[in-house]
Structure formats: C-alpha cells, structure tokens
Amino acid sequence: MSTATKKSSLLPASGGRSARRARAVAEAEQVRAQESAYRPASGYLSWLLTRANRELGRQIDRVLDEVDLTEAQYGVLQALIHLKSASSATLARSVQVTPQAMVGLVAALERKGYIARTSHPGAGRVITTTVTPMGQEAFDTAKRRIRSLERNVRKTLTDEEYELVVTKLEKLSTIISEV
C-alpha cells in the first residue's frame, strides 16, 4: 500500500473543509505518484509547462488556503490595491475572468469583509469596489506567504539556473504569443 493510499484511508469519511482538503491532498498525491514516470509521446513541452503550472498552483492554493483566499480572490485584492478602486468590469479584465465570475468573487470578498462596495457618485449604476483594512491585512499575509514559497523554490536553483529559467520562459511567452 502506497503512502498516499495509507494517508487517504486514515482520513475521516465526512467532515468540514479541512477533511475535504485533506482528502483532496491525499488524492492529488496518489495521482502525482502515478504520473511521475509518465512521458507523453508528443506535446512534451506543453505537458511539462502544464505540469509545472499545476504544481505551482497547488502550492499557491495551499498557501492561500491558510489565509482563506483563493488565487482569484488574491488577484482581485492585488488589482484593487494597485488601482485603489475599480468597477467589477475593470476587475474582471485585470484578473482575466468573466464579468459573471467576478460577481461571485466580489460577493465572497465582501462577505469576508475584505472589500467594500459603494455607488459611484457620478454614475448611479457604477459600483466602485475598494479594499478594507481587513482585506489589506489578508492580502499582505498572503503576499508574504507566496513570496516565501517563491524563495523556497528559488533556493533549489543556482543563480545561473534561475536566470536561465526566467530568460527561457520570457522568450517562450513571446514566441507563443506570436504564433
């Protein structure tokens, strides 16, 4: 029996958010263990980029879960802090989600007390969103944790390796956008 299987068999069958999260982590560990030896016959570059992106996303989700934020919610707070205030349409464009998805993100952040929404004085239908002090604190904590994660990843590379990865990813982004 694999370590991941043992872990998942010890998890509660039902429960709250932490139990669901623990089951999801155990399942993800099982999948990663099975996929570790897999190499696709074609599309290897896209597979590697997707795999790296998903792994980074999983780690970011873990870090953000500790401060009760999703990656999209973190992006909204980041955009609002940069812009000072914005409409939902502007936020949707800045974090690259649909306006419909932004409705849910804004509602969740407002319920948590991280943002406040007010009618724009010049246009009655426009609602402006701003970050509350509690939202700023949550963002600052999340930002510190994400930076710590990035530092830990960077520590595994030499300066030359890090610069090479960054340079090649920047070049690849440019190439792909021009295809």
Side-chain angles (χ1 to χ4, degrees), residues 37-56:
Y38 172 74
R39 300 292 182 266
S42 63
Y44 189 57
L45 176 62
S46 61
W47 179 80
L48 282 173
L49 290 170
T50 299
R51 184 174 172 199
N53 185 51
R54 286 185 180 157
E55 191 59 35
L56 179 60

PDB file of all heavy atoms in Angstrom, residues 37-56:
ATOM      1  N   ALA A  37       6.254   8.884 -13.568  1.00  0.00           N
ATOM      2  CA  ALA A  37       7.043   8.204 -14.588  1.00  0.00           C
ATOM      3  C   ALA A  37       6.478   8.417 -15.994  1.00  0.00           C
ATOM      4  O   ALA A  37       7.090   7.997 -16.971  1.00  0.00           O
ATOM      5  CB  ALA A  37       7.114   6.714 -14.278  1.00  0.00           C
ATOM      6  N   TYR A  38       5.340   9.063 -16.122  1.00  0.00           N
ATOM      7  CA  TYR A  38       4.690   9.229 -17.425  1.00  0.00           C
ATOM      8  C   TYR A  38       5.398  10.275 -18.273  1.00  0.00           C
ATOM      9  O   TYR A  38       5.761  11.334 -17.790  1.00  0.00           O
ATOM     10  CB  TYR A  38       3.222   9.642 -17.220  1.00  0.00           C
ATOM     11  CG  TYR A  38       2.524  10.032 -18.494  1.00  0.00           C
ATOM     12  CD1 TYR A  38       2.144   9.065 -19.417  1.00  0.00           C
ATOM     13  CD2 TYR A  38       2.277  11.358 -18.788  1.00  0.00           C
ATOM     14  CE1 TYR A  38       1.518   9.419 -20.595  1.00  0.00           C
ATOM     15  CE2 TYR A  38       1.650  11.732 -19.960  1.00  0.00           C
ATOM     16  CZ  TYR A  38       1.279  10.750 -20.865  1.00  0.00           C
ATOM     17  OH  TYR A  38       0.657  11.107 -22.026  1.00  0.00           O
ATOM     18  N   ARG A  39       5.599   9.967 -19.539  1.00  0.00           N
ATOM     19  CA  ARG A  39       6.142  10.910 -20.509  1.00  0.00           C
ATOM     20  C   ARG A  39       5.306  10.782 -21.780  1.00  0.00           C
ATOM     21  O   ARG A  39       5.288   9.724 -22.397  1.00  0.00           O
ATOM     22  CB  ARG A  39       7.603  10.609 -20.859  1.00  0.00           C
ATOM     23  CG  ARG A  39       8.566  10.645 -19.682  1.00  0.00           C
ATOM     24  CD  ARG A  39       8.716  12.066 -19.151  1.00  0.00           C
ATOM     25  NE  ARG A  39       9.655  12.157 -18.055  1.00  0.00           N
ATOM     26  CZ  ARG A  39       9.336  12.106 -16.770  1.00  0.00           C
ATOM     27  NH1 ARG A  39       8.088  11.906 -16.401  1.00  0.00           N
ATOM     28  NH2 ARG A  39      10.240  12.225 -15.834  1.00  0.00           N
ATOM     29  N   PRO A  40       4.619  11.853 -22.193  1.00  0.00           N
ATOM     30  CA  PRO A  40       3.789  11.754 -23.401  1.00  0.00           C
ATOM     31  C   PRO A  40       4.643  11.564 -24.654  1.00  0.00           C
ATOM     32  O   PRO A  40       5.784  12.026 -24.713  1.00  0.00           O
ATOM     33  CB  PRO A  40       3.052  13.090 -23.440  1.00  0.00           C
ATOM     34  CG  PRO A  40       3.876  14.015 -22.627  1.00  0.00           C
ATOM     35  CD  PRO A  40       4.585  13.177 -21.604  1.00  0.00           C
ATOM     36  N   ALA A  41       4.076  10.882 -25.635  1.00  0.00           N
ATOM     37  CA  ALA A  41       4.783  10.634 -26.889  1.00  0.00           C
ATOM     38  C   ALA A  41       4.953  11.914 -27.700  1.00  0.00           C
ATOM     39  O   ALA A  41       5.919  12.074 -28.435  1.00  0.00           O
ATOM     40  CB  ALA A  41       4.039   9.583 -27.706  1.00  0.00           C
ATOM     41  N   SER A  42       3.991  12.840 -27.592  1.00  0.00           N
ATOM     42  CA  SER A  42       4.100  14.124 -28.279  1.00  0.00           C
ATOM     43  C   SER A  42       3.538  15.202 -27.356  1.00  0.00           C
ATOM     44  O   SER A  42       2.875  14.906 -26.371  1.00  0.00           O
ATOM     45  CB  SER A  42       3.326  14.086 -29.599  1.00  0.00           C
ATOM     46  OG  SER A  42       1.955  13.888 -29.340  1.00  0.00           O
ATOM     47  N   GLY A  43       3.824  16.450 -27.674  1.00  0.00           N
ATOM     48  CA  GLY A  43       3.344  17.543 -26.838  1.00  0.00           C
ATOM     49  C   GLY A  43       4.052  17.619 -25.503  1.00  0.00           C
ATOM     50  O   GLY A  43       3.479  18.069 -24.508  1.00  0.00           O
ATOM     51  N   TYR A  44       5.304  17.179 -25.470  1.00  0.00           N
ATOM     52  CA  TYR A  44       6.031  17.103 -24.212  1.00  0.00           C
ATOM     53  C   TYR A  44       6.246  18.474 -23.577  1.00  0.00           C
ATOM     54  O   TYR A  44       6.114  18.629 -22.365  1.00  0.00           O
ATOM     55  CB  TYR A  44       7.376  16.399 -24.437  1.00  0.00           C
ATOM     56  CG  TYR A  44       8.120  16.067 -23.170  1.00  0.00           C
ATOM     57  CD1 TYR A  44       7.530  15.280 -22.183  1.00  0.00           C
ATOM     58  CD2 TYR A  44       9.404  16.532 -22.952  1.00  0.00           C
ATOM     59  CE1 TYR A  44       8.201  14.964 -21.014  1.00  0.00           C
ATOM     60  CE2 TYR A  44      10.097  16.217 -21.792  1.00  0.00           C
ATOM     61  CZ  TYR A  44       9.486  15.444 -20.828  1.00  0.00           C
ATOM     62  OH  TYR A  44      10.148  15.124 -19.665  1.00  0.00           O
ATOM     63  N   LEU A  45       6.550  19.493 -24.384  1.00  0.00           N
ATOM     64  CA  LEU A  45       6.770  20.831 -23.841  1.00  0.00           C
ATOM     65  C   LEU A  45       5.500  21.356 -23.177  1.00  0.00           C
ATOM     66  O   LEU A  45       5.546  21.838 -22.043  1.00  0.00           O
ATOM     67  CB  LEU A  45       7.235  21.795 -24.924  1.00  0.00           C
ATOM     68  CG  LEU A  45       7.413  23.245 -24.473  1.00  0.00           C
ATOM     69  CD1 LEU A  45       8.482  23.349 -23.387  1.00  0.00           C
ATOM     70  CD2 LEU A  45       7.761  24.131 -25.652  1.00  0.00           C
ATOM     71  N   SER A  46       4.376  21.258 -23.880  1.00  0.00           N
ATOM     72  CA  SER A  46       3.130  21.758 -23.292  1.00  0.00           C
ATOM     73  C   SER A  46       2.771  20.958 -22.043  1.00  0.00           C
ATOM     74  O   SER A  46       2.260  21.502 -21.071  1.00  0.00           O
ATOM     75  CB  SER A  46       1.990  21.738 -24.312  1.00  0.00           C
ATOM     76  OG  SER A  46       1.740  20.429 -24.760  1.00  0.00           O
ATOM     77  N   TRP A  47       3.059  19.667 -22.052  1.00  0.00           N
ATOM     78  CA  TRP A  47       2.787  18.825 -20.888  1.00  0.00           C
ATOM     79  C   TRP A  47       3.642  19.274 -19.696  1.00  0.00           C
ATOM     80  O   TRP A  47       3.140  19.406 -18.575  1.00  0.00           O
ATOM     81  CB  TRP A  47       3.066  17.358 -21.238  1.00  0.00           C
ATOM     82  CG  TRP A  47       2.838  16.410 -20.113  1.00  0.00           C
ATOM     83  CD1 TRP A  47       1.654  15.896 -19.681  1.00  0.00           C
ATOM     84  CD2 TRP A  47       3.840  15.854 -19.257  1.00  0.00           C
ATOM     85  NE1 TRP A  47       1.848  15.057 -18.617  1.00  0.00           N
ATOM     86  CE2 TRP A  47       3.189  15.009 -18.329  1.00  0.00           C
ATOM     87  CE3 TRP A  47       5.225  15.969 -19.176  1.00  0.00           C
ATOM     88  CZ2 TRP A  47       3.868  14.295 -17.350  1.00  0.00           C
ATOM     89  CZ3 TRP A  47       5.898  15.266 -18.200  1.00  0.00           C
ATOM     90  CH2 TRP A  47       5.210  14.446 -17.303  1.00  0.00           C
ATOM     91  N   LEU A  48       4.930  19.530 -19.950  1.00  0.00           N
ATOM     92  CA  LEU A  48       5.820  19.974 -18.873  1.00  0.00           C
ATOM     93  C   LEU A  48       5.394  21.327 -18.307  1.00  0.00           C
ATOM     94  O   LEU A  48       5.387  21.525 -17.085  1.00  0.00           O
ATOM     95  CB  LEU A  48       7.266  20.073 -19.370  1.00  0.00           C
ATOM     96  CG  LEU A  48       8.030  18.772 -19.505  1.00  0.00           C
ATOM     97  CD1 LEU A  48       9.390  19.031 -20.162  1.00  0.00           C
ATOM     98  CD2 LEU A  48       8.202  18.086 -18.163  1.00  0.00           C
ATOM     99  N   LEU A  49       5.027  22.255 -19.195  1.00  0.00           N
ATOM    100  CA  LEU A  49       4.592  23.569 -18.728  1.00  0.00           C
ATOM    101  C   LEU A  49       3.302  23.462 -17.922  1.00  0.00           C
ATOM    102  O   LEU A  49       3.169  24.106 -16.872  1.00  0.00           O
ATOM    103  CB  LEU A  49       4.407  24.516 -19.913  1.00  0.00           C
ATOM    104  CG  LEU A  49       5.694  24.959 -20.605  1.00  0.00           C
ATOM    105  CD1 LEU A  49       5.382  25.691 -21.896  1.00  0.00           C
ATOM    106  CD2 LEU A  49       6.547  25.808 -19.685  1.00  0.00           C
ATOM    107  N   THR A  50       2.372  22.650 -18.392  1.00  0.00           N
ATOM    108  CA  THR A  50       1.113  22.456 -17.666  1.00  0.00           C
ATOM    109  C   THR A  50       1.381  21.817 -16.313  1.00  0.00           C
ATOM    110  O   THR A  50       0.816  22.236 -15.296  1.00  0.00           O
ATOM    111  CB  THR A  50       0.146  21.583 -18.495  1.00  0.00           C
ATOM    112  OG1 THR A  50      -0.126  22.250 -19.720  1.00  0.00           O
ATOM    113  CG2 THR A  50      -1.145  21.316 -17.756  1.00  0.00           C
ATOM    114  N   ARG A  51       2.224  20.821 -16.295  1.00  0.00           N
ATOM    115  CA  ARG A  51       2.553  20.131 -15.038  1.00  0.00           C
ATOM    116  C   ARG A  51       3.181  21.100 -14.028  1.00  0.00           C
ATOM    117  O   ARG A  51       2.794  21.131 -12.856  1.00  0.00           O
ATOM    118  CB  ARG A  51       3.501  18.972 -15.339  1.00  0.00           C
ATOM    119  CG  ARG A  51       3.824  18.144 -14.146  1.00  0.00           C
ATOM    120  CD  ARG A  51       4.650  16.950 -14.546  1.00  0.00           C
ATOM    121  NE  ARG A  51       5.111  16.263 -13.359  1.00  0.00           N
ATOM    122  CZ  ARG A  51       6.106  15.425 -13.319  1.00  0.00           C
ATOM    123  NH1 ARG A  51       6.742  15.108 -14.422  1.00  0.00           N
ATOM    124  NH2 ARG A  51       6.470  14.866 -12.199  1.00  0.00           N
ATOM    125  N   ALA A  52       4.140  21.900 -14.482  1.00  0.00           N
ATOM    126  CA  ALA A  52       4.785  22.868 -13.591  1.00  0.00           C
ATOM    127  C   ALA A  52       3.779  23.904 -13.106  1.00  0.00           C
ATOM    128  O   ALA A  52       3.767  24.258 -11.916  1.00  0.00           O
ATOM    129  CB  ALA A  52       5.956  23.549 -14.308  1.00  0.00           C
ATOM    130  N   ASN A  53       2.925  24.383 -14.007  1.00  0.00           N
ATOM    131  CA  ASN A  53       1.916  25.372 -13.637  1.00  0.00           C
ATOM    132  C   ASN A  53       0.933  24.800 -12.615  1.00  0.00           C
ATOM    133  O   ASN A  53       0.571  25.472 -11.643  1.00  0.00           O
ATOM    134  CB  ASN A  53       1.172  25.850 -14.888  1.00  0.00           C
ATOM    135  CG  ASN A  53       0.207  26.957 -14.570  1.00  0.00           C
ATOM    136  OD1 ASN A  53       0.558  27.939 -13.944  1.00  0.00           O
ATOM    137  ND2 ASN A  53      -1.033  26.781 -14.988  1.00  0.00           N
ATOM    138  N   ARG A  54       0.508  23.575 -12.815  1.00  0.00           N
ATOM    139  CA  ARG A  54      -0.433  22.958 -11.877  1.00  0.00           C
ATOM    140  C   ARG A  54       0.210  22.728 -10.514  1.00  0.00           C
ATOM    141  O   ARG A  54      -0.424  22.917  -9.484  1.00  0.00           O
ATOM    142  CB  ARG A  54      -0.970  21.653 -12.441  1.00  0.00           C
ATOM    143  CG  ARG A  54      -1.964  21.893 -13.541  1.00  0.00           C
ATOM    144  CD  ARG A  54      -2.576  20.615 -14.024  1.00  0.00           C
ATOM    145  NE  ARG A  54      -3.523  20.910 -15.088  1.00  0.00           N
ATOM    146  CZ  ARG A  54      -3.903  20.056 -15.999  1.00  0.00           C
ATOM    147  NH1 ARG A  54      -3.427  18.826 -15.978  1.00  0.00           N
ATOM    148  NH2 ARG A  54      -4.767  20.397 -16.920  1.00  0.00           N
ATOM    149  N   GLU A  55       1.462  22.317 -10.523  1.00  0.00           N
ATOM    150  CA  GLU A  55       2.146  22.086  -9.248  1.00  0.00           C
ATOM    151  C   GLU A  55       2.325  23.399  -8.492  1.00  0.00           C
ATOM    152  O   GLU A  55       2.089  23.470  -7.287  1.00  0.00           O
ATOM    153  CB  GLU A  55       3.495  21.408  -9.481  1.00  0.00           C
ATOM    154  CG  GLU A  55       4.140  20.896  -8.222  1.00  0.00           C
ATOM    155  CD  GLU A  55       3.298  19.880  -7.470  1.00  0.00           C
ATOM    156  OE1 GLU A  55       2.575  19.074  -8.084  1.00  0.00           O
ATOM    157  OE2 GLU A  55       3.354  19.885  -6.217  1.00  0.00           O
ATOM    158  N   LEU A  56       2.719  24.448  -9.208  1.00  0.00           N
ATOM    159  CA  LEU A  56       2.842  25.761  -8.570  1.00  0.00           C
ATOM    160  C   LEU A  56       1.477  26.227  -8.071  1.00  0.00           C
ATOM    161  O   LEU A  56       1.359  26.722  -6.947  1.00  0.00           O
ATOM    162  CB  LEU A  56       3.432  26.788  -9.543  1.00  0.00           C
ATOM    163  CG  LEU A  56       3.576  28.202  -8.995  1.00  0.00           C
ATOM    164  CD1 LEU A  56       4.503  28.231  -7.771  1.00  0.00           C
ATOM    165  CD2 LEU A  56       4.091  29.139 -10.083  1.00  0.00           C
TER     166      LEU A  56
END
